């Protein structure tokens, strides 16, 4: 009997096909799983330096803000200042009292108008510029020098070429030169007397001004002369002052009259000297007329020199007259300013009397700028209420902001800081002057206070950066790698595990403590080593123990 052998080839083929299918499925399942995992970017743990910085923003405040308070419950009758106004020590801030409101308002307005007039007069005080006149005089002197040189040249040509005896020409010229010298001396003497008269006029004006400045504010009533006493001896103080004032005014009038009389066109000495010059010039002209064209050229040169001399004299004389007139104008403006000052003092006394005396005025104890005003005219201020606040710039400015206790431990009083959001004006410097418990969060925060100097104003918002110098640390990681939860700070470290299909990457939690930080990195302590890879970013949330895939380039 024949036995058939069964064909087992299909079993082997089926097994091979099954294994191939399993391999393909395993490969694709691994690929699908990788695409479903969170993709993470990592950065290695290194050592390096950290410059710890603490930043905060605050409002600039004046160190010298002075609060003006009411000493008793009083009615505010008038507010004499406004916010932003600069005041000096002693200036009236508020007027209190029970006086008639219409009269008080009128007195207040009168004082304000007088103060305004004083300020306008002070601003418009005359000032004079003589630079153009002095420049014209310099040019006239240059013209005169050129004319004198031309005259000398024409004279030399005349002596060499004209049919005139040299001795006769020289004698006539000598007489003219002598007459010119006498005229010059007369003019110089007149100028000297003129300058002395100017000095006398100036001293007389100063003497009168000094008397006006020392005028008594209130003059006593005139008294009848005592029997046997001269009329001029009564009233001693006021009468003596009026006599001195009249004498000073008379002296000033006399000085002004003398100045006006010193005119070269009427001075006898100058006129006599000019007559001698004219006579000598006529004699010389008679000789030169015999010399033909050379004499004509010489005469023209002489006339040009005389015109230049007259032009120079006229310019100098006019400048002196202008100076005198301008001095009078300035003296008049000063008198007006002095008069306004006396009127202001009188108006202040009248206002004080009308409002009940100085006790009914509140004045500034310090100089500065009005920062705020809490009351208006007509309102009533209670005792110890703040009426206004005066900012005292001389005492400097400060700024404060709150930080955590951990940040405060990195800082020391005296640390220098920088302002990071101020881009105009001069540089602002900041110095840490105080570290104290923040009353708003006493358990977790500290309040930092900085002194500021430079181009700074109260009310400005500034951002301050302050920190230690650079320090090296063994373990430094990016700030983006640090995570926090209820248990504290930690990082996720990527650990690689080998498998038949390649490396698998698992995120493991490592608890850390931040020691120092800057804008980019932090120095930490914990179970980390150089070369460990910490997760900085991921495309989806990652938890402890999750398998992840590395981003390209990691």
């Amino acid at each position: 009997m024949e036995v058939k052998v069964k064909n087992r080839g299909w079993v082997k083929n089926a097994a091979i096909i099954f294994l191939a299918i399993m391999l393909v499925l395993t490969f694709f399942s691994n690929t699908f799983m990788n695409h479903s995992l969170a993709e993470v970017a990592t950065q290695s743990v290194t050592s390096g330096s950290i410059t710890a910085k603490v930043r905060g923003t605050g409002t600039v405040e004046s160190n010298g803000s002075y609060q003006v308070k009411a000493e008793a419950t009083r009615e505010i009758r008038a507010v004499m200042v406004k916010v932003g106004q600069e005041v000096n020590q002693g200036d009236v801030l508020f007027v209190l009292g029970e006086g008639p409101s219409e009269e008080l308002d009128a007195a207040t307005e009168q004082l304000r108008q007088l103060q305004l007039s004083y300020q306008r007069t002070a601003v418009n005080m005359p000032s004079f510029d003589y630079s153009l006149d002095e420049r014209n005089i310099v040019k006239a002197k240059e013209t005169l020098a050129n004319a004198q040189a031309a005259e000398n040249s024409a004279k030399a040509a005349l002596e060499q070429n004209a049919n005139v005896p040299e001795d006769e020409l020289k004698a006539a010229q000598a007489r003219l030169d002598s007459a010119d010298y006498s005229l010059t001396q007369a003019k110089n003497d007149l100028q000297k007397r003129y300058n002395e008269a100017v000095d006398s006029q100036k001293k007389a004006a100063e003497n009168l001004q000094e008397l006006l400045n020392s005028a008594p504010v209130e003059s006593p009533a005139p008294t009848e002369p005592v029997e046997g006493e001269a009329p001029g001896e009564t009233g001693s103080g006021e009468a003596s002052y009026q006599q001195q004032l009249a004498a000073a005014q008379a002296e000033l009038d006399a000085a002004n009259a003398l100045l006006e009389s010193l005119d070269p066109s009427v001075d006898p000495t100058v006129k006599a000297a000019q007559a001698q010059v004219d006579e000598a010039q006529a004699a010389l002209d008679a000789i030169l007329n015999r010399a033909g064209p050379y004499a004509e050229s010489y005469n023209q040169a002489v006339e040009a020199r005389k015109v230049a001399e007259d032009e120079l004299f006229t310019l100098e004389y006019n400048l002196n007259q202008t100076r005198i007139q301008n001095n009078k104008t300035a003296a008049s403006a000063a008198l007006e300013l002095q008069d306004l000052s006396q009127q202001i003092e009188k108006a202040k006394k009248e206002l004080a009397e009308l409002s009940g005396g100085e006790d009914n005025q509140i004045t500034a104890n310090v100089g500065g700028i009005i920062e705020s005003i809490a009351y208006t005219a007509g309102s009533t201020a209670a005792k110890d209420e703040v009426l206004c606040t005066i900012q005292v710039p001389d005492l400097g400015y400060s700024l404060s902001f709150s930080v955590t206790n951990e940040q405060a431990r990195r800082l020391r009083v005296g640390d220098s800081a920088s302002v990071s959001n101020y881009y105009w004006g001069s540089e602002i410097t900041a110095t840490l002057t105080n570290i104290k418990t923040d009353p708003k969060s006493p358990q977790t925060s500290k309040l930092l206070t900085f002194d500021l100097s430079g181009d700074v104003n109260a009310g400005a918002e500034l951002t301050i950066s302050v920190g230690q110098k650079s320090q090296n640390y063994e373990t430094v990681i990016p700030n983006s790698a640090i995570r926090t939860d209820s248990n504290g700070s930690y990082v996720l470290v990527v650990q690689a595990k080998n498998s038949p299909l390649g490396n698998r990457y698992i995120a493991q939690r490592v608890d850390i403590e931040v020691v120092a930080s800057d804008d980019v990195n932090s120095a930490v302590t914990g179970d980390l080593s150089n070369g460990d890879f910490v997760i900085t970013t991921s495309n989806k949330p990652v938890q402890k123990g999750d398998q992840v895939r590395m981003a390209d380039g990691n």
Side-chain angles (χ1 to χ4, degrees), residues 100-325:
S101 59
E102 291 183 0
E103 296 180 6
L104 183 61
D105 292 343
T108 302
E109 179 63 19
Q110 180 186 11
L111 176 58
R112 191 186 71 83
Q113 290 293 341
L114 286 172
Q115 291 173 332
L116 182 61
S117 298
Y118 183 90
Q119 293 172 354
R120 287 175 176 170
T121 303
V123 169
N124 294 323
M125 280 292 289
S127 60
F128 308 102
D129 183 11
Y130 304 106
S131 58
L132 181 59
D133 300 278
E134 293 170 348
R135 177 58 182 162
N136 290 335
I137 289 175
V138 171
K139 290 182 178 180
K141 288 180 178 180
E142 294 174 354
T143 301
L144 177 58
N146 293 334
Q148 289 172 339
E151 180 183 1
N152 293 334
S153 176
K155 180 181 177 183
L158 177 65
E159 292 174 349
Q160 293 176 3
N161 301 294
N163 186 20
V164 177
E166 183 176 353
D167 294 340
E168 183 181 359
L169 181 60
K170 287 184 177 179
Q173 184 64 51
R175 286 194 299 272
L176 179 59
D177 291 343
S178 176
D180 280 335
Y181 177 78
S182 298
L183 178 59
T184 301
Q185 289 295 103
K187 289 182 177 180
N188 290 340
D189 179 65
L190 177 63
Q191 185 65 45
K192 179 179 179 181
R193 286 183 289 142
Y194 187 88
N195 292 338
E196 291 174 352
V198 170
D199 293 338
S200 298
Q201 188 265 355
K202 182 178 179 182
K203 291 180 181 179
E206 291 176 351
N207 184 32
L208 178 61
Q209 180 65 46
E210 184 177 354
L211 285 173
L212 290 172
N213 291 343
S214 61
V217 177
E218 296 181 1
S219 301
T223 59
E224 294 294 332
V226 180
E227 183 178 356
E229 186 178 44
E233 297 176 356
T234 61
S236 62
E238 176 66 16
S240 175
Y241 171 76
Q242 293 297 334
Q243 290 175 356
Q244 294 177 12
L245 194 63
Q249 185 64 54
E251 182 182 359
L252 179 60
D253 293 341
N256 289 332
L258 178 60
L259 277 176
E260 294 175 358
S261 68
L262 294 177
D263 188 340
S265 63
V266 298
D267 184 75
T269 304
V270 175
K271 290 178 67 177
Q274 184 65 52
Q276 292 179 1
V277 170
D278 294 340
E279 182 180 352
Q281 183 65 52
L284 180 60
D285 290 343
I287 296 173
L288 294 175
N289 287 335
R290 306 197 308 264
Y294 296 102
E296 184 178 356
S297 298
Y298 178 69
N299 286 334
Q300 292 176 353
V302 171
E303 288 300 323
R305 185 258 303 166
K306 290 181 179 180
V307 170
E309 287 178 342
D310 292 340
E311 177 67 17
L312 176 60
F313 179 81
T314 300
L315 289 174
E316 291 177 336
Y317 179 78
N318 290 340
L319 177 58
N320 287 330
Q321 291 295 322
T322 302
R323 289 182 187 274
I324 293 172
Q325 187 59 43

